[in-house]
């Protein structure tokens, strides 16, 4: 949790606001298996049309990693009825914006239009699903786009390989072990037929949820949904293999040399349960206690008071099957990575042995109330939350009830979950250091 508190006045109103922010929605299934969720919000003349597909990096062949992210780009290339290069022109020419993103677990596409262009948004997303054009020129074009993105965000970005290296060392059996952006060698080696087969398998109505949120005529919207999505054939049922990792019982140690950095970073990562579990929510709160803002325990002690590190942090990397709880620190001065890790461990031991105060618990819950209100303050946020809670959590109404889970977490749970998951024998220690030959390369 990294969002700071907004105005004091908002905090004072949180109790009533959070209750008033309940999200109303309607959901149903089309005959082809596509799930549909409608959220009518007449407060502003905008509407978002979004589709989330249950396909991410974890669904890839280990010899063809990067496909899900590649399709995030490829499915903007055009359709039988939208010429190549026209997608973005149509959107912007009608006052809209659009985007897409991919994780290890899902891929999400959306358009935001003035509400009088809702039918256009529905038609475009149905075209992406029913009539995508997947040909060699599109594959070759997007291959270069993805390579440039990898160079920019990963290969040439300071600490750009951090998450990828943590995943590589934390997972042995599960497909979470590779980075979402995947391998460029795998993409280069893939045939056009392999891309077409991936599309046929995963981009089907019965592997997706359509969410429409904003100002709409609900009856007319349902007519359009049936008109544009109803005729799309159901895809084959997807059989997903279940990957179970052996528990980490002895500390793992790894080193990665990054040619783009000058300062080393120490990383401690713990494997955690699915984001659907209550334990994962408690770990979110533990992360907030330790590193959310300059008043957090790690920042105040290690950065402010002792001045041992330039930067310190912790966050929950939540995912559908397993998560990771990642702590990191950047030593400064004469302090070593071991010194910083020792200070981090001391704060974890405090959480494992001492209850936080009632006052600190209330502050913590206030932050989560505020985050809950903010996450549902726009139709874009509501749409993505509705899609995620349906597709990944299996309960759309969590958009309204998940906050109650956070509010019910106790001081004892925080202590016990820290004891359960955050022990030295259950973690990876990654020394993320400057490349040894960096100085020579610069000469």
């Amino acid at each position: 949790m990294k969002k700071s508190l907004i105005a004091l006045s908002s905090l004072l109103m949180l109790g009533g606001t959070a209750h008033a922010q309940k999200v109303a929605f309607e959901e149903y299934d089309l005959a082809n298996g596509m799930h549909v969720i409608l959220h009518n919000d007449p407060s502003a003349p905008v509407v978002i049309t979004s589709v989330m597909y249950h396909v991410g990096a974890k669904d890839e062949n280990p010899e063809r990693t990067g496909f899900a992210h590649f399709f995030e780009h490829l499915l903007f290339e055009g359709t039988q009825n939208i010429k190549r290069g026209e997608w973005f022109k149509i959107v912007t020419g009608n006052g809209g914006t659009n985007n897409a993103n991919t994780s290890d677990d899902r891929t999400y596409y959306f358009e935001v239009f003035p509400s009088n262009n809702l039918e256009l948004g529905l038609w475009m997303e149905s075209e992406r699903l029913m009539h995508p054009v997947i040909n060699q020129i599109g594959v070759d074009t997007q291959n270069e786009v993805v390579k440039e993105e990898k160079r920019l965000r990963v290969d040439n970005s300071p600490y750009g390989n951090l998450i990828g290296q943590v995943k590589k060392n934390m997972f042995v059996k599960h497909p979470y072990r590779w980075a979402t952006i995947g391998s460029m060698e795998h993409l280069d080696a893939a045939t056009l037929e392999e891309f077409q087969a991936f599309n046929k398998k995963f981009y089907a109505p019965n592997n997706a949820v359509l969410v429409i949120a904003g100002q709409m005529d609900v009856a007319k919207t349902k007519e359009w949904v049936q008109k544009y999505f109803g005729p799309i054939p159901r895809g084959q049922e997807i059989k997903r293999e279940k990957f179970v990792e052996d528990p980490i019982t002895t500390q793992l140690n790894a080193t990665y040399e990054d040619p783009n950095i000058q300062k080393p970073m120490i990383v401690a990562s713990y494997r955690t349960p699915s984001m659907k579990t209550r334990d994962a929510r408690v770990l979110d709160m533990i992360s907030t206690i330790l590193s959310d803002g300059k008043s957090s325990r790690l920042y105040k002690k290690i950065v402010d008071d002792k001045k041992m590190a330039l930067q310190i942090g912790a966050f929950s990397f939540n995912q559908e099957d397993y998560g990771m709880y990642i702590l990191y620190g950047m030593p400064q001065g004469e302090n070593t990575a071991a010194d910083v890790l020792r200070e981090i461990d001391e704060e974890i031991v405090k959480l494992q042995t001492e209850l936080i105060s009632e006052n600190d618990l209330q502050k913590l819950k206030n932050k989560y109330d505020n985050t809950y209100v903010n996450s549902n303050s726009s139709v874009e946020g509501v749409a993505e939350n509705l899609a995620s809670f349906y597709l990944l959590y299996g309960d759309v109404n969590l958009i309204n009830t998940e906050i109650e889970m956070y509010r019910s977490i106790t001081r004892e749970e925080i202590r016990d979950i820290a004891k359960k998951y955050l022990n030295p024998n259950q973690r990876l220690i990654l020394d993320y250091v400057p490349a040894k030959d960096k100085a020579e390369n610069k000469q």
Side-chain angles (χ1 to χ4, degrees):
M1 178 177 171
K2 298 189 180 295
K3 296 178 181 175
S4 61
L5 298 178
I6 48 175
L8 178 61
S9 59
S10 296
L11 269 180
L12 296 175
M13 295 168 61
L14 274 176
T17 304
H19 178 73
Q21 288 273 329
K22 184 172 182 180
V23 175
F25 61 88
E26 179 180 354
E27 57 179 326
Y28 62 98
D29 289 312
L30 299 180
N32 58 17
M34 180 168 236
H35 197 69
V36 182
I37 305 174
L38 308 179
H39 166 66
N40 187 22
D41 179 359
S43 63
V46 295
V47 66
I48 180 170
T49 302
S50 64
V51 180
M52 185 176 285
Y53 295 92
H54 203 173
V55 56
K58 77 169 185 289
D59 299 295
E60 297 161 350
N61 178 338
E63 300 303 316
R64 289 293 182 266
T65 62
F67 265 46
H69 172 259
F70 192 85
F71 267 80
E72 174 197 321
H73 293 264
L74 187 62
L75 292 183
F76 281 103
E77 271 288 306
T79 74
Q80 291 178 19
N81 297 301
I82 300 175
K83 292 181 181 178
R84 185 168 180 270
E86 292 294 311
W87 187 284
F88 297 102
K89 293 179 184 178
I90 293 172
V91 173
T92 57
N94 286 276
T97 60
N98 67 176
N99 213 330
N101 53 70
T102 311
S103 76
D104 289 342
D105 300 313
R106 92 294 179 274
T107 307
Y108 185 58
Y109 300 88
F110 65 90
E111 289 79 34
V112 182
F113 278 118
S115 54
N116 60 350
N117 276 327
L118 170 57
E119 186 177 10
L120 175 62
L122 290 169
W123 173 72
M124 294 184 77
E125 283 302 332
S126 71
E127 274 291 303
R128 193 198 309 271
L129 182 52
M130 182 185 273
H131 298 131
V133 173
I134 299 173
N135 56 24
Q136 197 62 52
I137 187 171
V139 168
D140 292 344
T141 300
Q142 295 308 321
N143 200 337
E144 291 306 312
V145 171
V146 171
K147 285 179 180 177
E148 181 58 30
E149 180 180 346
K150 185 172 184 290
R151 283 190 287 266
L152 180 66
R153 296 187 178 183
V154 180
D155 299 339
N156 299 320
S157 177
Y159 310 98
N161 275 294
L162 195 152
I163 296 297
Q165 287 299 311
V166 170
K167 291 172 67 179
K168 174 183 175 182
N169 287 284
M170 289 289 289
F171 295 99
V172 177
K173 302 174 183 178
H174 199 286
Y176 286 157
R177 65 185 180 271
W178 56 76
T180 308
I181 202 163
S183 162
M184 300 306 100
E185 290 77 14
H186 290 174
L187 294 177
D188 285 342
T191 65
L192 179 61
E193 289 72 25
E194 285 178 297
F195 287 111
Q196 291 169 337
F198 192 84
N199 178 79
K200 183 177 180 180
K201 179 176 182 179
F202 291 108
Y203 297 85
N206 47 307
N207 194 43
V209 56
L210 167 67
V211 178
I212 305 151
Q215 189 180 83
M216 73 183 86
D217 177 323
V218 173
K220 178 56 73 174
T221 301
K222 288 181 177 179
E223 290 180 16
W224 287 333
V225 168
Q226 181 58 40
K227 175 182 177 181
Y228 294 113
F229 290 90
I232 302 174
R234 185 185 186 95
Q236 292 185 349
E237 295 306 312
I238 298 170
K239 295 180 181 178
R240 300 181 192 273
E241 187 176 351
K242 187 175 178 63
F243 298 91
V244 179
E245 289 283 348
D246 296 327
I248 298 172
T249 56
T250 304
Q251 179 174 293
L252 307 173
N253 295 283
T255 300
Y256 179 75
E257 295 184 9
D258 188 335
N260 302 306
I261 65 172
Q262 296 178 335
K263 293 284 186 181
M265 179 179 283
I266 184 70
V267 180
S269 181
Y270 304 79
R271 193 190 299 147
T272 55
S274 165
M275 62 189 183
K276 294 181 273 192
T277 63
R278 184 178 178 89
D279 285 4
R281 272 83 169 199
V282 180
L283 284 161
D284 286 342
M285 282 197 160
I286 288 172
S287 175
T288 304
I289 294 167
L290 289 177
S291 72
D292 184 34
K294 294 187 176 181
S295 63
S296 63
R297 293 188 178 188
L298 292 181
Y299 192 95
K300 191 171 187 310
K301 174 186 177 183
I302 302 174
V303 178
D304 269 359
D305 294 346
K306 295 193 173 183
K307 295 180 172 50
M308 295 177 63
L310 288 170
Q311 189 176 347
I312 203 84
F315 60 94
S316 294
F317 194 90
N318 294 319
Q319 299 177 110
E320 187 177 15
D321 295 342
Y322 290 98
M324 297 179 292
Y325 181 65
I326 302 173
L327 300 109
Y328 60 92
M330 196 181 296
Q332 72 168 338
E334 299 299 314
N335 297 288
T336 65
D339 295 332
V340 172
L341 183 62
R342 184 179 62 251
E343 298 292 332
I344 290 173
D345 283 346
E346 283 183 7
E347 292 306 311
I348 291 174
V349 170
K350 283 183 183 177
L351 281 177
Q352 293 173 329
T353 55
E354 302 171 14
L355 294 178
I356 67 171
S357 70
E358 290 284 4
N359 187 50
D360 284 346
L361 181 64
Q362 189 55 53
K363 287 180 181 178
L364 199 56
K365 291 180 178 181
N366 287 346
K367 285 190 175 187
Y368 278 81
D369 276 352
N370 186 65
T371 298
Y372 163 73
V373 172
N374 285 343
S375 70
N376 292 327
S377 63
S378 68
V379 290
E380 292 96 329
V382 168
E384 185 165 359
N385 286 338
L386 288 168
S388 296
F389 283 130
Y390 168 74
L391 199 75
L392 302 179
Y393 292 78
D395 181 2
V396 187
N397 200 45
L398 279 171
I399 197 168
N400 294 312
T401 61
E402 187 183 41
I403 187 60
E404 298 299 336
M405 195 180 302
Y406 284 108
R407 289 172 181 162
S408 69
I409 290 171
T410 65
R411 298 186 299 155
E412 289 77 14
E413 278 185 285
I414 290 171
R415 178 197 62 198
D416 294 345
I417 292 302
K419 280 184 185 178
K420 183 176 181 180
Y421 295 104
L422 306 184
N423 298 300
N425 67 313
Q426 296 171 300
R427 70 187 179 188
L428 162 74
I429 296 298
L430 173 66
D431 283 306
Y432 198 98
V433 298
K436 291 177 183 177
D437 62 349
K438 183 179 179 185
E440 298 174 9
N441 291 338
K442 282 196 163 186
Q443 292 175 359

